Amino acid sequence: MSYTLRSAGTLALIYGSFAGVVAALFVLCVSAATLIYGAEVNAVLIVAGLRMQAARTSL
């Protein structure tokens, strides 16, 4: 029996753990990007609302 077949369980354990870490980092990156994008949209909406409010009060 070859070394690869004898150690397949160990390799699956190691590379499975690596895949879990990569998947977790990907999820964290997507979550961070979503939060940053949401904050940008929120800031734009707040500034637009303040400009509309200022335009209404200056009339």
Side-chain angles (χ1 to χ4, degrees):
M1 191 184 265
S2 71
Y3 172 75
T4 305
L5 291 177
R6 281 183 280 140
S7 63
T10 305
L11 291 175
L13 178 67
I14 291 171
Y15 289 116
S17 299
F18 285 153
V21 169
V22 169
L25 288 174
F26 178 74
V27 168
L28 288 173
C29 183
V30 169
S31 297
T34 302
L35 287 172
I36 291 171
Y37 180 72
E40 290 285 337
V41 170
N42 204 15
V44 167
L45 292 175
I46 288 172
V47 168
L50 290 175
R51 285 184 182 163
M52 286 179 59
Q53 186 179 14
R56 269 190 249 136
T57 58
S58 66
L59 292 178

